Amino acid sequence: MRSQRLNDIVARAARRGGRIVFPEPRDVRILAAARQLVDESLARPVLLGPNQQISDSAAAAGVSIEGVEQLDPTQDAQQEDYISGYLASRPRSSRAIAKRLLRKPLYYGAAMVKAGHADALVAGASQPTARVIEAGKLMLGLSAGVDTPSSFFLMLLPERTLIFADCALNIQPDSHTLADIGVASARSAANLLEEVPRVAFLSFSTASSTKHELVDRVSEAVEIAQQRAPEFHFGGALQADSALVSEIARKKGAGDDAVAGRANVLIFPDLNSGNIAYKLVQHLAGGQAIGPICQGFAAPLCDLSRGASVDDIVAASMVTLGLSV
């Protein structure tokens, strides 16, 4: 059962009436998620692959795919356009390479999104993360001002909704990569949250109370992010309590910051801290974690957790669709 907060996010995304591409239709969870998306009128799923293979998989799983769009990349009239589009963006490549890539549903789905023929790509149920990210880089490219893709979790708590990043991809980001994560997360928050994005770069020190290279790296990332995306509010280095609680922020000398005490986006200094934090919030504070959702790409892309349930896939799909503008 979805929480009211998740229902609100899903409803906003559903109003887009978006087309979501699923390149792994042999997975029963994907088939069931596509069925649910159609039955609840949330989105228009597209199952990519040979039609007979999809029908056989659905029959074996006992899932009706009536009313769910199926598309065989090898029979699609748009194939030549996608090959041409790939070669236009990568002139040093060859037609043979482009054709070989586009035989694969994952890359074909990304090409559809790039061309505007679909609004989001959701994969990762059976594909490794590295392959999903590669498809995003090759076919979608990165958004302006971002050099490194990242990921976020949408954290739904009883009193607030937060974005945590990066909790899945970048292990030990330097200041420039942290800035990329911050800028991409601000854009994600602008699309998903009905609030002004306030992005806190977290550290073990607030307001430069401690001199250390780890704190300096975070402070430098804030400066880079602000230069790249001056339309957003970035703050840090901040301890987690200073980022979230105004009174504590004031006591620690960060009360005048536009972000301190009011953050709704938390940027963790490394993957260790981000991954640990989201799991603690999920299992000790009763937070619902949706993701990881990819960000920093030129179009919406989701890399599903291998263990995702059908409900997880539906939720992640709708959050990903909510990133489309």
Side-chain angles (χ1 to χ4, degrees), residues 21-81:
V21 183
F22 293 93
E24 300 162 313
R26 298 182 69 178
D27 191 302
V28 63
R29 295 168 298 166
I30 296 297
L31 294 169
R35 175 77 269 152
Q36 188 172 328
L37 289 169
V38 170
D39 288 346
E40 296 186 26
S41 300
L42 298 177
R44 294 174 291 144
V46 183
L47 302 175
L48 278 188
N51 291 341
Q52 190 60 55
Q53 186 183 89
I54 295 172
S55 297
D56 290 346
S57 297
V63 177
S64 169
I65 53 173
E66 183 179 356
V68 180
E69 183 180 354
Q70 302 170 57
L71 180 64
D72 185 344
T74 64
Q75 306 297 319
D76 186 18
Q78 300 288 346
Q79 185 181 108
E80 285 299 320
D81 291 339

Side-chain angles (χ1 to χ4, degrees), residues 251-318:
K251 287 180 178 179
K252 293 187 176 183
D256 294 333
D257 192 297
V259 173
R262 296 187 287 168
N264 51 16
V265 179
L266 302 183
I267 308 301
F268 294 87
D270 55 46
L271 190 59
N272 266 327
S273 56
N275 194 272
I276 291 168
Y278 102 78
K279 290 182 183 295
L280 286 174
V281 172
Q282 182 181 28
H283 294 288
L284 293 181
Q288 183 177 4
I290 300 174
I293 311 295
C294 295
Q295 60 182 6
F297 291 102
L301 169 66
C302 179
D303 174 35
L304 294 167
S305 168
R306 293 289 191 90
S309 67
V310 173
D311 287 342
D312 291 337
I313 293 170
V314 171
S317 297
M318 295 308 293

Side-chain angles (χ1 to χ4, degrees), residues 17-320:
R19 197 174 185 222
I20 305 176
V21 183
F22 293 93
E24 300 162 313
R26 298 182 69 178
D27 191 302
V28 63
R29 295 168 298 166
I30 296 297
L31 294 169
R35 175 77 269 152
Q36 188 172 328
L37 289 169
V38 170
D39 288 346
E40 296 186 26
S41 300
L42 298 177
R44 294 174 291 144
V46 183
L47 302 175
L48 278 188
N51 291 341
Q52 190 60 55
Q53 186 183 89
I54 295 172
S55 297
D56 290 346
S57 297
V63 177
S64 169
I65 53 173
E66 183 179 356
V68 180
E69 183 180 354
Q70 302 170 57
L71 180 64
D72 185 344
T74 64
Q75 306 297 319
D76 186 18
Q78 300 288 346
Q79 185 181 108
E80 285 299 320
D81 291 339
Y82 298 153
I83 291 173
S84 298
Y86 177 82
L87 292 175
S89 64
R90 294 180 176 273
R92 293 185 179 180
S93 189
S94 68
R95 179 179 172 80
I97 290 174
K99 194 169 184 178
R100 185 163 63 249
L101 280 174
L102 286 164
R103 287 197 193 106
K104 302 174 182 178
L106 175 61
Y107 295 85
Y108 201 87
M112 290 175 64
V113 175
K114 175 68 173 180
H117 297 154
D119 299 287
L121 172 67
V122 175
S126 57
Q127 301 267 5
T129 291
R131 190 66 55 79
V132 177
I133 298 302
E134 180 185 63
K137 286 182 175 179
L138 287 175
M139 296 298 173
L140 299 178
L142 299 177
S143 60
V146 173
D147 297 321
T148 308
S150 58
S151 70
F152 72 90
F153 278 86
L154 186 68
M155 304 297 297
L156 304 176
L157 293 153
E159 300 301 324
R160 62 174 76 184
T161 301
L162 300 169
I163 281 178
F164 282 17
D166 180 357
C167 303
L169 291 184
N170 293 285
I171 297 174
Q172 192 70 45
D174 59 20
S175 57
H176 290 275
T177 301
L178 273 177
D180 279 341
I181 296 168
V183 171
S185 297
R187 292 172 179 167
S188 296
N191 283 327
L192 291 174
L193 307 181
E194 293 188 305
E195 308 169 18
V196 174
R198 299 183 186 277
V199 184
F201 286 75
L202 301 183
S203 178
F204 62 82
S205 173
T206 293
S208 301
S209 61
T210 302
K211 295 301 295 180
H212 192 281
E213 61 180 340
L214 294 178
V215 181
D216 293 342
R217 174 164 57 90
V218 174
S219 298
E220 183 181 348
V222 176
E223 294 178 5
I224 296 170
Q226 198 67 73
Q227 291 170 2
R228 290 183 185 174
E231 67 273 22
F232 294 118
H233 297 295
F234 300 101
L238 292 166
Q239 289 168 283
D241 54 359
S242 297
L244 297 169
V245 184
S246 297
E247 183 179 352
I248 294 175
R250 286 193 297 272
K251 287 180 178 179
K252 293 187 176 183
D256 294 333
D257 192 297
V259 173
R262 296 187 287 168
N264 51 16
V265 179
L266 302 183
I267 308 301
F268 294 87
D270 55 46
L271 190 59
N272 266 327
S273 56
N275 194 272
I276 291 168
Y278 102 78
K279 290 182 183 295
L280 286 174
V281 172
Q282 182 181 28
H283 294 288
L284 293 181
Q288 183 177 4
I290 300 174
I293 311 295
C294 295
Q295 60 182 6
F297 291 102
L301 169 66
C302 179
D303 174 35
L304 294 167
S305 168
R306 293 289 191 90
S309 67
V310 173
D311 287 342
D312 291 337
I313 293 170
V314 171
S317 297
M318 295 308 293
V319 170
T320 306

